[in-house]
Coordinates of all heavy atoms in Angstrom, one line a residue:
M1 N -2.8 12.9 3.5 CA -4.3 12.7 3.8 C -4.7 13.7 4.9 O -4.1 13.8 5.9 CB -4.4 11.3 4.4 CG -5.7 10.5 4.0 SD -6.1 10.5 2.3 CE -4.7 9.7 1.5
A2 N -5.7 14.5 4.5 CA -6.1 15.5 5.4 C -6.7 15.0 6.7 O -6.3 15.4 7.8 CB -7.2 16.4 4.8
Q3 N -7.5 14.0 6.6 CA -8.1 13.4 7.8 C -7.7 11.9 7.8 O -8.0 11.2 6.9 CB -9.7 13.5 7.8 CG -10.2 14.9 7.9 CD -11.7 14.9 7.8 OE1 -12.2 14.4 6.9 NE2 -12.3 15.6 8.7
E4 N -7.1 11.5 8.9 CA -6.7 10.1 9.0 C -7.9 9.3 9.6 O -8.2 9.4 10.8 CB -5.5 10.0 9.9 CG -4.2 10.3 9.2 CD -3.0 9.9 9.9 OE1 -3.1 8.9 10.8 OE2 -2.0 10.5 9.7
A5 N -8.5 8.4 8.8 CA -9.6 7.6 9.3 C -9.0 6.4 10.1 O -9.6 6.0 11.1 CB -10.3 7.1 8.1
C6 N -7.8 5.9 9.7 CA -7.1 4.9 10.5 C -5.7 4.9 10.0 O -5.3 5.6 9.1 CB -7.8 3.5 10.2 SG -7.5 2.9 8.6
S7 N -4.9 4.1 10.7 CA -3.4 4.1 10.4 C -3.1 3.6 9.0 O -2.2 4.1 8.3 CB -2.7 3.3 11.4 OG -3.1 2.0 11.4
H8 N -4.0 2.7 8.5 CA -3.7 2.2 7.1 C -4.0 3.2 6.1 O -3.2 3.4 5.1 CB -4.6 1.0 6.8 CG -4.6 -0.1 7.8 ND1 -5.5 -0.3 8.8 CD2 -3.6 -1.1 8.0 CE1 -5.2 -1.3 9.6 NE2 -4.1 -1.8 9.1
I9 N -5.1 3.9 6.2 CA -5.4 5.0 5.3 C -4.4 6.2 5.5 O -4.0 6.8 4.5 CB -6.9 5.5 5.5 CG1 -7.8 4.4 4.9 CG2 -7.1 6.8 4.8 CD1 -9.3 4.6 5.2
G10 N -4.0 6.4 6.7 CA -3.1 7.5 6.9 C -1.7 7.2 6.3 O -1.0 8.1 6.0
A11 N -1.4 5.9 6.1 CA -0.1 5.6 5.6 C 0.0 5.7 4.0 O 1.0 5.6 3.4 CB 0.3 4.1 5.9
I12 N -1.2 6.0 3.4 CA -1.2 6.1 2.0 C -0.8 7.5 1.5 O -1.5 8.5 2.0 CB -2.6 5.7 1.4 CG1 -2.8 4.2 1.6 CG2 -2.8 6.1 -0.1 CD1 -4.2 3.7 1.4
T13 N 0.2 7.6 0.8 CA 0.7 8.9 0.3 C 0.2 9.2 -1.1 O 0.0 10.4 -1.4 CB 2.2 9.0 0.4 OG1 2.8 7.9 -0.3 CG2 2.7 9.0 1.9
S14 N 0.1 8.2 -1.9 CA -0.5 8.5 -3.2 C -1.4 7.3 -3.6 O -1.1 6.2 -3.4 CB 0.6 8.6 -4.3 OG 1.3 7.4 -4.5
V15 N -2.6 7.7 -4.1 CA -3.6 6.7 -4.3 C -3.4 6.0 -5.6 O -3.1 6.6 -6.6 CB -5.0 7.4 -4.3 CG1 -6.1 6.4 -4.7 CG2 -5.3 8.0 -3.0
K16 N -3.5 4.6 -5.6 CA -3.3 3.8 -6.8 C -4.6 3.8 -7.6 O -5.7 3.6 -7.0 CB -3.0 2.4 -6.4 CG -1.6 2.2 -5.9 CD -1.3 0.7 -5.7 CE 0.1 0.4 -5.4 NZ 0.6 0.9 -4.1
H17 N -4.5 4.1 -8.9 CA -5.7 4.1 -9.8 C -5.7 2.8 -10.7 O -4.6 2.2 -10.9 CB -5.7 5.4 -10.6 CG -5.8 6.6 -9.7 ND1 -7.0 6.9 -9.1 CD2 -4.9 7.5 -9.3 CE1 -6.8 8.0 -8.4 NE2 -5.6 8.4 -8.5
P18 N -6.8 2.5 -11.2 CA -6.9 1.2 -12.0 C -6.1 1.4 -13.3 O -6.1 2.4 -13.9 CB -8.4 1.1 -12.3 CG -8.9 2.4 -12.1 CD -8.1 3.1 -11.1
Q19 N -5.4 0.3 -13.7 CA -4.7 0.3 -15.0 C -5.7 0.0 -16.1 O -5.6 0.5 -17.2 CB -3.6 -0.7 -14.9 CG -2.6 -0.4 -13.8 CD -1.3 -1.1 -13.9 OE1 -1.2 -2.3 -14.4 NE2 -0.2 -0.5 -13.5
R20 N -6.7 -0.8 -15.8 CA -7.7 -1.2 -16.7 C -9.0 -1.1 -16.0 O -9.1 -1.5 -14.8 CB -7.6 -2.6 -17.3 CG -6.4 -2.8 -18.1 CD -6.1 -4.3 -18.2 NE -5.3 -4.5 -19.5 CZ -5.8 -5.3 -20.5 NH1 -6.9 -6.0 -20.3 NH2 -5.0 -5.4 -21.5
R21 N -10.1 -0.6 -16.6 CA -11.4 -0.5 -16.0 C -12.1 -1.8 -16.2 O -13.1 -1.9 -16.8 CB -12.2 0.6 -16.5 CG -11.6 2.0 -16.1 CD -12.5 3.1 -16.2 NE -11.9 4.3 -15.7 CZ -11.9 4.7 -14.4 NH1 -12.5 4.0 -13.5 NH2 -11.2 5.8 -14.1
E22 N -11.6 -2.9 -15.5 CA -12.2 -4.2 -15.5 C -11.8 -4.9 -14.3 O -10.7 -4.7 -13.7 CB -11.9 -4.9 -16.8 CG -10.4 -5.2 -17.0 CD -10.0 -5.8 -18.3 OE1 -10.8 -5.6 -19.3 OE2 -9.0 -6.5 -18.4
C23 N -12.6 -5.9 -13.8 CA -12.2 -6.7 -12.7 C -11.3 -7.8 -13.2 O -11.7 -8.6 -14.1 CB -13.4 -7.4 -12.0 SG -13.0 -8.6 -10.8
E24 N -10.1 -7.9 -12.7 CA -9.1 -8.9 -13.1 C -9.6 -10.3 -13.0 O -9.2 -11.2 -13.8 CB -7.8 -8.8 -12.3 CG -7.1 -7.5 -12.5 CD -5.8 -7.4 -11.6 OE1 -5.5 -8.4 -10.9 OE2 -5.2 -6.3 -11.6
E25 N -10.4 -10.6 -12.0 CA -10.8 -12.0 -11.8 C -12.1 -12.2 -12.6 O -12.2 -13.3 -13.1 CB -11.1 -12.2 -10.3 CG -9.9 -12.1 -9.4 CD -8.8 -13.1 -9.8 OE1 -9.2 -14.3 -10.1 OE2 -7.6 -12.8 -9.7
C26 N -13.0 -11.3 -12.7 CA -14.2 -11.5 -13.5 C -13.9 -11.8 -15.0 O -14.5 -12.6 -15.6 CB -15.1 -10.3 -13.4 SG -16.0 -10.3 -11.9
V27 N -12.9 -11.1 -15.5 CA -12.5 -11.3 -16.9 C -12.1 -12.7 -17.2 O -12.3 -13.3 -18.3 CB -11.5 -10.3 -17.5 CG1 -12.1 -8.9 -17.5 CG2 -10.2 -10.3 -16.8
K28 N -11.4 -13.4 -16.2 CA -11.0 -14.7 -16.3 C -12.1 -15.7 -16.4 O -12.0 -16.8 -17.0 CB -10.1 -15.1 -15.2 CG -8.7 -14.4 -15.1 CD -7.9 -14.9 -13.9 CE -6.8 -13.9 -13.6 NZ -6.2 -14.2 -12.3
I29 N -13.2 -15.4 -15.7 CA -14.3 -16.4 -15.6 C -15.5 -15.9 -16.4 O -16.6 -16.4 -16.3 CB -14.7 -16.7 -14.2 CG1 -15.1 -15.4 -13.4 CG2 -13.5 -17.4 -13.4 CD1 -15.6 -15.6 -12.0
D30 N -15.4 -14.8 -17.2 CA -16.4 -14.2 -18.0 C -17.6 -13.8 -17.2 O -18.8 -14.1 -17.6 CB -16.8 -15.3 -19.1 CG -17.5 -14.6 -20.3 OD1 -17.3 -13.4 -20.4 OD2 -18.2 -15.3 -21.0
A31 N -17.4 -13.2 -16.0 CA -18.5 -12.8 -15.2 C -18.7 -11.3 -15.3 O -17.9 -10.5 -15.9 CB -18.1 -13.1 -13.7
Q32 N -19.8 -10.8 -14.7 CA -20.1 -9.4 -14.8 C -19.8 -8.8 -13.4 O -19.8 -9.4 -12.4 CB -21.7 -9.3 -15.0 CG -22.1 -9.9 -16.2 CD -21.8 -9.2 -17.5 OE1 -22.0 -8.0 -17.6 NE2 -21.2 -9.9 -18.5
W33 N -19.6 -7.4 -13.4 CA -19.4 -6.7 -12.2 C -20.2 -5.4 -12.2 O -20.7 -5.0 -13.3 CB -17.9 -6.4 -12.0 CG -17.3 -5.6 -13.0 CD1 -17.3 -4.2 -13.1 CD2 -16.6 -6.0 -14.2 NE1 -16.7 -3.8 -14.3 CE2 -16.2 -4.9 -15.0 CE3 -16.2 -7.3 -14.7 CZ2 -15.5 -5.0 -16.2 CZ3 -15.5 -7.4 -15.9 CH2 -15.2 -6.2 -16.6
V34 N -20.3 -4.8 -11.0 CA -21.1 -3.6 -10.9 C -20.2 -2.4 -10.8 O -20.3 -1.5 -11.6 CB -22.1 -3.7 -9.7 CG1 -22.9 -2.4 -9.6 CG2 -23.0 -4.9 -9.9
H35 N -19.4 -2.4 -9.7 CA -18.4 -1.3 -9.6 C -17.0 -1.9 -9.4 O -16.9 -3.1 -9.0 CB -18.8 -0.5 -8.3 CG -20.1 0.2 -8.4 ND1 -21.1 -0.1 -7.5 CD2 -20.6 1.1 -9.3 CE1 -22.2 0.6 -7.9 NE2 -21.9 1.4 -8.9
L36 N -16.0 -1.1 -9.6 CA -14.7 -1.5 -9.4 C -13.9 -0.8 -8.3 O -14.2 0.4 -8.0 CB -13.9 -1.3 -10.7 CG -14.4 -2.1 -11.9 CD1 -13.7 -1.6 -13.2 CD2 -14.2 -3.6 -11.7
R37 N -13.0 -1.6 -7.7 CA -12.2 -1.1 -6.5 C -10.8 -1.4 -6.8 O -10.5 -2.5 -7.4 CB -12.7 -1.7 -5.2 CG -14.1 -1.7 -5.0 CD -14.7 -0.3 -4.7 NE -16.1 -0.3 -4.4 CZ -16.9 0.5 -5.1 NH1 -16.5 1.3 -6.1 NH2 -18.2 0.6 -4.7
T38 N -9.8 -0.6 -6.4 CA -8.4 -0.9 -6.6 C -7.7 -1.1 -5.3 O -7.8 -0.2 -4.4 CB -7.8 0.3 -7.4 OG1 -8.4 0.4 -8.7 CG2 -6.3 0.0 -7.6
C39 N -7.1 -2.2 -5.1 CA -6.3 -2.5 -3.9 C -5.1 -1.5 -3.8 O -4.4 -1.3 -4.8 CB -5.8 -3.9 -4.0 SG -4.8 -4.3 -2.5
Q40 N -5.0 -0.9 -2.6 CA -4.0 0.1 -2.5 C -2.6 -0.5 -2.0 O -1.6 0.2 -1.9 CB -4.4 1.1 -1.5 CG -5.6 1.9 -2.0 CD -5.3 2.7 -3.3 OE1 -4.5 3.6 -3.3 NE2 -5.9 2.3 -4.4
T41 N -2.6 -1.8 -1.8 CA -1.3 -2.5 -1.5 C -0.7 -3.0 -2.8 O 0.5 -2.8 -3.0 CB -1.6 -3.7 -0.5 OG1 -2.2 -3.2 0.6 CG2 -0.2 -4.3 -0.1
C42 N -1.4 -3.7 -3.6 CA -0.8 -4.3 -4.8 C -1.3 -3.7 -6.1 O -0.8 -4.1 -7.2 CB -1.0 -5.8 -4.8 SG -2.8 -6.3 -4.9
G43 N -2.4 -2.9 -6.1 CA -2.9 -2.3 -7.3 C -3.8 -3.1 -8.1 O -4.2 -2.7 -9.2
A44 N -4.3 -4.2 -7.6 CA -5.2 -5.1 -8.3 C -6.6 -4.4 -8.3 O -7.0 -3.8 -7.4 CB -5.4 -6.4 -7.6
T45 N -7.2 -4.4 -9.5 CA -8.6 -3.8 -9.6 C -9.6 -4.9 -9.7 O -9.5 -5.8 -10.5 CB -8.6 -2.9 -10.9 OG1 -7.7 -1.8 -10.7 CG2 -10.0 -2.4 -11.1
L46 N -10.5 -4.9 -8.8 CA -11.5 -6.0 -8.6 C -12.9 -5.4 -8.3 O -13.0 -4.2 -8.1 CB -11.0 -6.8 -7.4 CG -9.6 -7.5 -7.6 CD1 -9.0 -7.9 -6.2 CD2 -9.7 -8.7 -8.5
C47 N -13.9 -6.3 -8.3 CA -15.2 -5.9 -8.2 C -15.8 -5.7 -6.8 O -15.3 -6.3 -5.8 CB -16.1 -6.8 -9.0 SG -16.1 -8.5 -8.5
C48 N -16.8 -4.9 -6.6 CA -17.3 -4.5 -5.3 C -18.3 -5.5 -4.8 O -18.6 -6.5 -5.4 CB -18.1 -3.2 -5.5 SG -19.6 -3.4 -6.4
D49 N -18.8 -5.2 -3.6 CA -19.8 -6.1 -2.9 C -21.2 -6.2 -3.6 O -22.0 -7.0 -3.2 CB -19.9 -5.8 -1.4 CG -18.7 -6.3 -0.6 OD1 -17.9 -7.0 -1.2 OD2 -18.7 -6.0 0.6
D50 N -21.5 -5.3 -4.5 CA -22.7 -5.3 -5.2 C -22.6 -6.3 -6.4 O -23.6 -6.6 -7.0 CB -23.1 -3.9 -5.7 CG -23.5 -3.0 -4.6 OD1 -24.0 -3.5 -3.5 OD2 -23.3 -1.8 -4.7
S51 N -21.4 -6.7 -6.7 CA -21.1 -7.6 -7.8 C -21.3 -9.0 -7.3 O -21.0 -9.3 -6.2 CB -19.7 -7.4 -8.3 OG -19.5 -6.0 -8.6
P52 N -21.7 -9.9 -8.2 CA -21.9 -11.3 -7.8 C -20.7 -12.0 -7.1 O -20.9 -12.8 -6.2 CB -22.3 -12.0 -9.1 CG -22.7 -10.9 -10.0 CD -22.0 -9.7 -9.6
N53 N -19.5 -11.7 -7.6 CA -18.4 -12.4 -7.1 C -17.6 -11.7 -6.0 O -16.7 -12.3 -5.4 CB -17.5 -12.7 -8.3 CG -18.1 -13.7 -9.2 OD1 -18.3 -14.9 -8.9 ND2 -18.5 -13.3 -10.4
R54 N -17.8 -10.4 -5.8 CA -17.2 -9.7 -4.7 C -15.7 -9.9 -4.6 O -15.2 -10.2 -3.5 CB -17.9 -10.1 -3.3 CG -19.4 -9.9 -3.3 CD -19.9 -10.2 -2.0 NE -21.4 -9.9 -2.0 CZ -22.1 -9.9 -0.9 NH1 -21.6 -10.3 0.3 NH2 -23.4 -9.7 -0.9
H55 N -15.0 -9.8 -5.7 CA -13.6 -10.1 -5.7 C -12.8 -9.2 -4.8 O -11.7 -9.6 -4.3 CB -13.1 -10.1 -7.2 CG -13.5 -11.3 -7.9 ND1 -14.2 -11.3 -9.1 CD2 -13.4 -12.6 -7.6 CE1 -14.4 -12.5 -9.5 NE2 -13.9 -13.4 -8.6
A56 N -13.1 -7.9 -4.7 CA -12.3 -7.0 -3.9 C -12.3 -7.5 -2.4 O -11.2 -7.5 -1.8 CB -12.8 -5.6 -4.0
T57 N -13.4 -7.8 -1.9 CA -13.5 -8.3 -0.5 C -12.8 -9.6 -0.3 O -12.1 -9.8 0.6 CB -15.0 -8.4 -0.1 OG1 -15.5 -7.1 -0.1 CG2 -15.1 -9.0 1.3
K58 N -13.0 -10.5 -1.3 CA -12.3 -11.8 -1.2 C -10.8 -11.6 -1.3 O -10.0 -12.3 -0.5 CB -12.7 -12.7 -2.4 CG -14.0 -13.3 -2.2 CD -14.4 -14.2 -3.4 CE -15.8 -14.7 -3.3 NZ -16.3 -15.2 -4.6
H59 N -10.3 -10.7 -2.1 CA -8.9 -10.4 -2.2 C -8.4 -9.8 -0.9 O -7.3 -10.2 -0.4 CB -8.7 -9.4 -3.3 CG -7.3 -8.9 -3.4 ND1 -6.2 -9.6 -3.9 CD2 -6.7 -7.7 -3.0 CE1 -5.1 -8.9 -3.8 NE2 -5.4 -7.7 -3.3
A60 N -9.1 -8.9 -0.2 CA -8.7 -8.3 1.0 C -8.6 -9.4 2.1 O -7.6 -9.4 2.9 CB -9.7 -7.2 1.4
R61 N -9.6 -10.3 2.2 CA -9.5 -11.4 3.2 C -8.4 -12.3 2.9 O -7.7 -12.7 3.9 CB -10.8 -12.1 3.1 CG -12.0 -11.3 3.6 CD -13.0 -12.2 4.4 NE -14.1 -11.4 4.8 CZ -15.3 -11.4 4.2 NH1 -15.5 -12.2 3.2 NH2 -16.3 -10.7 4.6
A62 N -8.2 -12.7 1.7 CA -7.2 -13.7 1.3 C -5.8 -13.1 1.5 O -4.8 -13.8 1.9 CB -7.4 -14.2 -0.1
S63 N -5.6 -11.9 1.1 CA -4.2 -11.3 1.0 C -3.9 -10.5 2.3 O -2.7 -10.3 2.5 CB -4.1 -10.4 -0.2 OG -5.0 -9.3 0.0
G64 N -4.9 -10.0 3.0 CA -4.6 -9.2 4.1 C -4.3 -7.7 3.7 O -3.9 -6.9 4.5
H65 N -4.5 -7.4 2.4 CA -4.4 -6.0 2.0 C -5.5 -5.2 2.5 O -6.7 -5.5 2.1 CB -4.3 -6.0 0.5 CG -3.1 -6.7 -0.1 ND1 -2.9 -7.0 -1.4 CD2 -2.0 -7.2 0.5 CE1 -1.8 -7.7 -1.6 NE2 -1.2 -7.8 -0.4
P66 N -5.3 -4.2 3.3 CA -6.4 -3.6 4.0 C -7.3 -2.6 3.3 O -8.5 -2.4 3.5 CB -5.8 -2.9 5.2 CG -4.4 -2.6 4.8 CD -4.0 -3.7 3.8
V67 N -6.6 -1.8 2.4 CA -7.3 -0.6 1.9 C -7.6 -0.7 0.4 O -6.7 -1.1 -0.4 CB -6.5 0.7 2.2 CG1 -7.2 1.9 1.7 CG2 -6.2 0.8 3.7
I68 N -8.8 -0.3 0.0 CA -9.2 -0.2 -1.4 C -9.6 1.2 -1.7 O -10.0 2.0 -0.8 CB -10.4 -1.1 -1.8 CG1 -11.6 -0.9 -0.8 CG2 -10.0 -2.6 -1.8 CD1 -12.9 -1.4 -1.3
A69 N -9.5 1.6 -3.0 CA -10.0 2.9 -3.4 C -11.1 2.6 -4.4 O -11.0 1.6 -5.2 CB -8.9 3.7 -4.1
S70 N -12.1 3.5 -4.5 CA -13.0 3.3 -5.6 C -12.3 3.5 -6.9 O -11.5 4.4 -7.1 CB -14.1 4.4 -5.5 OG -15.0 4.3 -6.6
A71 N -12.6 2.7 -7.9 CA -12.0 2.8 -9.2 C -13.0 3.4 -10.2 O -12.8 3.4 -11.4 CB -11.5 1.5 -9.8
E72 N -14.1 4.0 -9.6 CA -15.2 4.6 -10.5 C -14.8 6.0 -10.8 O -14.4 6.8 -9.9 CB -16.5 4.5 -9.8 CG -17.0 3.1 -9.5 CD -17.2 2.3 -10.8 OE1 -17.9 2.9 -11.7 OE2 -16.7 1.2 -10.9
A73 N -15.1 6.5 -12.0 CA -14.8 7.9 -12.4 C -15.7 8.8 -11.5 O -16.8 8.5 -11.2 CB -15.2 8.1 -13.8
G74 N -15.0 9.8 -11.0 CA -15.7 10.8 -10.2 C -15.8 10.4 -8.7 O -16.3 11.3 -7.9
E75 N -15.4 9.2 -8.3 CA -15.5 8.8 -6.9 C -14.0 8.9 -6.4 O -13.1 8.3 -6.9 CB -16.0 7.4 -6.7 CG -17.5 7.3 -7.0 CD -18.1 6.0 -6.7 OE1 -17.4 5.1 -6.1 OE2 -19.2 5.7 -7.1
R76 N -13.9 9.6 -5.2 CA -12.6 9.7 -4.6 C -12.6 9.4 -3.2 O -12.8 10.2 -2.3 CB -12.1 11.2 -4.8 CG -11.8 11.6 -6.3 CD -11.6 13.1 -6.4 NE -10.4 13.5 -5.7 CZ -9.1 13.4 -6.1 NH1 -8.9 13.0 -7.4 NH2 -8.1 13.8 -5.4
W77 N -12.6 8.1 -2.9 CA -12.6 7.6 -1.5 C -11.8 6.4 -1.3 O -11.6 5.6 -2.3 CB -14.1 7.4 -1.0 CG -15.0 6.6 -1.8 CD1 -15.9 7.0 -2.7 CD2 -15.0 5.1 -1.8 NE1 -16.6 5.9 -3.3 CE2 -16.0 4.8 -2.7 CE3 -14.3 4.1 -1.1 CZ2 -16.4 3.4 -3.0 CZ3 -14.7 2.8 -1.4 CH2 -15.7 2.5 -2.3
L78 N -11.5 6.1 -0.1 CA -10.7 5.0 0.3 C -11.5 4.2 1.4 O -12.2 4.9 2.2 CB -9.4 5.4 0.9 CG -8.4 6.2 0.0 CD1 -7.3 6.9 0.8 CD2 -7.8 5.2 -1.0
Y79 N -11.3 2.9 1.4 CA -12.0 2.2 2.5 C -11.0 1.1 3.1 O -10.3 0.5 2.3 CB -13.2 1.4 1.9 CG -13.9 0.5 2.9 CD1 -14.7 1.1 3.9 CD2 -13.7 -0.9 2.9 CE1 -15.3 0.3 4.9 CE2 -14.3 -1.7 3.8 CZ -15.1 -1.1 4.8 OH -15.7 -1.9 5.8
C80 N -11.0 1.0 4.4 CA -10.2 0.1 5.1 C -11.0 -1.0 5.7 O -11.9 -0.8 6.4 CB -9.4 0.8 6.2 SG -8.4 -0.4 7.2
Y81 N -10.7 -2.3 5.2 CA -11.5 -3.4 5.7 C -11.3 -3.7 7.2 O -12.4 -3.8 7.9 CB -11.2 -4.7 4.9 CG -11.8 -4.7 3.5 CD1 -11.0 -4.3 2.4 CD2 -13.1 -5.1 3.3 CE1 -11.6 -4.4 1.1 CE2 -13.7 -5.1 2.1 CZ -12.9 -4.8 1.0 OH -13.5 -4.8 -0.3
P82 N -10.1 -3.8 7.7 CA -10.0 -4.2 9.1 C -10.6 -3.2 10.1 O -11.1 -3.5 11.2 CB -8.5 -4.4 9.4 CG -7.8 -3.9 8.1 CD -8.8 -3.9 7.0
D83 N -10.5 -1.9 9.7 CA -11.1 -0.9 10.6 C -12.5 -0.4 10.2 O -13.0 0.4 10.9 CB -10.1 0.4 10.6 CG -8.8 0.0 11.2 OD1 -8.8 -0.4 12.4 OD2 -7.7 0.2 10.6
D84 N -13.0 -0.9 9.1 CA -14.3 -0.4 8.6 C -14.3 1.1 8.5 O -15.2 1.8 8.9 CB -15.4 -1.0 9.4 CG -16.8 -0.7 8.8 OD1 -16.8 -0.6 7.5 OD2 -17.8 -0.6 9.5
A85 N -13.2 1.6 8.0 CA -13.0 3.1 8.0 C -13.1 3.6 6.5 O -12.6 2.9 5.6 CB -11.6 3.4 8.6
F86 N -13.6 4.8 6.4 CA -13.9 5.3 5.1 C -13.3 6.8 5.1 O -13.4 7.5 6.1 CB -15.4 5.4 4.9 CG -15.9 6.0 3.6 CD1 -16.1 5.2 2.5 CD2 -16.3 7.3 3.6 CE1 -16.5 5.7 1.3 CE2 -16.7 7.8 2.4 CZ -16.9 7.0 1.3
A87 N -12.7 7.1 4.0 CA -12.1 8.5 3.9 C -12.2 9.0 2.5 O -12.0 8.2 1.5 CB -10.7 8.5 4.4
E88 N -12.6 10.2 2.3 CA -12.5 10.9 1.0 C -11.1 11.5 0.9 O -10.5 11.8 1.8 CB -13.6 11.9 0.9 CG -15.0 11.2 0.9 CD -16.1 12.1 0.4 OE1 -15.9 13.0 -0.4 OE2 -17.3 11.8 0.9
Y89 N -10.7 11.7 -0.4 CA -9.4 12.3 -0.6 C -9.5 13.3 -1.7 O -10.5 13.4 -2.4 CB -8.4 11.3 -0.9 CG -8.5 10.5 -2.2 CD1 -8.0 11.0 -3.4 CD2 -9.3 9.3 -2.2 CE1 -8.2 10.3 -4.6 CE2 -9.4 8.6 -3.4 CZ -8.9 9.1 -4.6 OH -9.1 8.4 -5.8
Ligands
LIG1 ZN1 -7.2 0.7 8.7
LIG2 ZN1 -14.8 -9.6 -10.0
LIG3 ZN1 -4.0 -6.4 -3.0

């Protein structure tokens, strides 16, 4: 990582990408999402805060997994919840 936004982002050596372009939780409840994010601790792909269910944020709070990456094509950034830190890669 060229610029270390925080220690969590600095510890990421390779960015996890989505296995499927869908929110794992929304598909179970037949809900809609806006954008997708991939957890950098466990690789779960979940929906963003613009989505009705905000699964990525709920997952981060429940699991303590700090960093997500955008799972959107053309977006290359990481976000750390505990530090509110953002980094492009
Ligand atoms: Zn952090
Ligand atoms: Zn969702
Ligand atoms: Zn996770």
Side-chain angles (χ1 to χ4, degrees):
M1 215 49 60
Q3 289 178 313
E4 278 194 25
C6 71
S7 59
H8 307 103
I9 288 173
I12 291 169
T13 52
S14 66
V15 175
K16 287 185 172 66
H17 295 289
Q19 302 196 326
R20 294 162 154 239
R21 291 201 178 272
E22 59 187 28
C23 171
E24 292 179 7
E25 295 299 324
C26 283
V27 295
K28 291 180 195 166
I29 58 173
D30 199 22
Q32 303 286 312
W33 60 84
V34 180
H35 298 119
L36 295 172
R37 311 293 182 231
T38 300
C39 176
Q40 295 300 294
T41 304
C42 67
T45 295
L46 298 162
C47 56
C48 71
D49 280 357
D50 293 330
S51 308
N53 292 292
R54 302 183 177 188
H55 284 126
T57 296
K58 284 182 187 162
H59 172 77
R61 290 219 182 99
S63 66
H65 296 167
V67 181
I68 54 165
S70 175
E72 297 298 313
E75 291 187 8
R76 294 171 61 86
W77 53 259
L78 300 163
Y79 176 75
C80 174
Y81 284 98
D83 293 305
D84 190 26
F86 180 87
E88 297 196 24
Y89 65 89

